[in-house]
Amino acid sequence: MQVLTMNLKSRSSRDEVIALDETTFEVHTKAPPDKGRAAKEGLKLLAHHLRLPVSKLSLTRGERFEAKTVIIE
């Protein structure tokens, strides 16, 4: 199990993942932040960047905040 930090920027002009270091990522998504859509899209983008299935990632902290804690199972 590995813990990552994802800084999510919703309503961005592009979908991209920027690795700030080994465990911290800045994720830009076009999705709006309502009803958790940006968080779900951010997890999909992060999983694709890490070459993992989305089912291996789980959001443990920060559902309503920009900084989120993600666990790789």
Side-chain angles (χ1 to χ4, degrees):
M1 178 170 54
Q2 185 177 6
V3 179
L4 305 175
T5 302
M6 174 175 71
N7 295 318
L8 185 65
K9 310 288 186 183
S10 60
R11 288 191 179 147
S12 180
S13 62
R14 63 203 184 281
D15 287 332
E16 76 172 334
V17 177
I18 302 168
L20 301 176
D21 62 36
E22 291 180 7
T23 61
T24 307
F25 298 89
E26 187 170 294
V27 180
H28 296 261
T29 181
K30 295 178 184 178
D34 56 271
K35 298 182 182 174
R37 291 189 340 190
K40 289 178 187 176
E41 188 63 30
L43 280 177
K44 286 180 189 177
L45 291 169
L46 185 59
H48 184 264
H49 178 79
L50 297 172
R51 295 186 177 119
L52 295 170
V54 179
S55 62
K56 294 286 186 183
L57 300 180
S58 60
L59 187 64
T60 59
R61 209 174 211 189
E63 285 186 27
R64 296 178 168 256
F65 301 102
E66 184 178 309
K68 300 176 183 320
T69 303
V70 178
I71 291 182
I72 299 176
E73 297 175 8

